[in-house]
Amino acid sequence: MTPQQLEPCYFSDKNVSPEYVLWLKVLEMGIYEASQYFKTATDLTNESICNIHLSHIRQAVRWILSDSYYPGSFYWVCEVVGHDPKKIRHEITALN
């Protein structure tokens, strides 16, 4: 799943709250960061990925793979923005 695939839910309703937009962007960034991990999982020593960015990637992967449910968790954010967390998780992990 790409961040662009999430946007139709946002753009289909002009009266969305700023909080919705915020959580949608959090989800988009998490998907982007985690997808970087699964796309390059065989080459995490690649020098083009700096240590700071690699840390963000690993945090995003842990966030998406977590089964926790609390404000800000992956499952909670998916519920807030109306996306299926299991579908997103499956599509991201299938990238490798």
Side-chain angles (χ1 to χ4, degrees), residues 1-8 24 27-29 31-32 35:
M1 174 164 285
T2 65
Q4 293 80 14
Q5 291 173 304
L6 296 174
E7 290 179 3
L24 182 64
L27 183 58
E28 287 177 357
M29 188 57 144
I31 289 171
Y32 174 76
S35 67

Side-chain angles (χ1 to χ4, degrees), residues 8-40:
C9 291
Y10 165 64
F11 291 113
S12 64
D13 184 358
K14 301 287 184 195
N15 297 316
V16 296
S17 71
E19 292 84 4
Y20 176 88
V21 175
L22 171 68
W23 290 118
L24 182 64
K25 295 300 178 185
V26 167
L27 183 58
E28 287 177 357
M29 188 57 144
I31 289 171
Y32 174 76
E33 295 281 340
S35 67
Q36 297 306 300
Y37 172 82
F38 288 103
K39 287 179 184 176
T40 61

